[in-house]
Amino acid sequence: MSELSPFHLAIPVAELASARHFYGETLGCTEGRSAATWVDFDFFGHQLVVHLAHGAGEGGSRSAKPVDGDHVPVPHFGVVLPLDDWQRLVDRLAARAVVFELAPRRRFVGQPGEQATVFLRDPSGNALEFKGFRDVGRALFAR
């Protein structure tokens, strides 16, 4: 796998204060630039921008699709981490009493692409998934 370039993602939020707390304090993301209606975060090496948006947090999409016995929220976003980093993040979230949309578990056990996964929602209802792999480089796109 070649070195990955950071992605940029902009998402709507209902209020900046709760987004700052969730992404900054709960997830541990460093805040970058900001203005009255948006905030940049270093989202595990990627640029996540939360934008104050009319109607954000009013239920959002609650669509779900079946994946290995779970109904996963669609759409969602997140990051792929080495398994030890994933476990530290899950421990951090549990210590902060975060409510999981789908509790931490293993998916595709014994198959190519076996992974740990957890789903949660930010205060505006945006769904996030964090995946953990023993060997990200070999397992991420395993078939």
Side-chain angles (χ1 to χ4, degrees):
M1 177 190 295
S2 62
E3 185 175 330
L4 296 176
S5 297
F7 69 74
H8 161 82
L9 177 65
I11 61 170
V13 296
E15 61 179 31
L16 293 181
S18 62
R20 275 188 159 112
H21 179 78
F22 178 79
Y23 289 99
E25 299 300 319
T26 303
L27 292 180
C29 300
T30 303
E31 186 174 322
R33 295 170 296 170
S34 66
T37 59
W38 57 268
V39 179
D40 278 349
F41 289 98
D42 177 345
F43 187 74
F44 303 87
H46 304 280
Q47 185 187 38
L48 176 66
V49 186
V50 297
H51 285 272
L52 193 56
H54 176 70
E58 294 178 3
S61 174
R62 294 292 173 164
S63 178
K65 299 295 178 188
V67 176
D68 196 36
D70 287 324
H71 284 81
V72 302
V74 177
H76 65 264
F77 71 96
V79 294
V80 176
L81 301 167
L83 193 54
D84 290 343
D85 293 344
W86 178 87
Q87 188 61 59
R88 279 190 287 280
L89 176 62
V90 167
D91 293 345
R92 176 188 181 99
L93 296 171
R96 286 166 173 75
V98 168
V99 175
F100 296 119
E101 181 87 0
L102 291 172
R105 68 172 292 232
R106 302 283 181 172
R107 177 179 292 149
F108 308 122
V109 175
Q111 301 175 48
E114 181 174 334
Q115 60 195 255
T117 183
V118 64
F119 281 83
L120 56 141
R121 290 189 183 267
D122 75 6
S124 294
N126 296 299
L128 291 86
E129 177 184 20
F130 295 94
K131 294 182 179 188
F133 288 93
R134 288 194 197 288
D135 183 349
V136 173
R138 291 195 340 195
L140 184 59
F141 297 109
R143 296 172 55 128

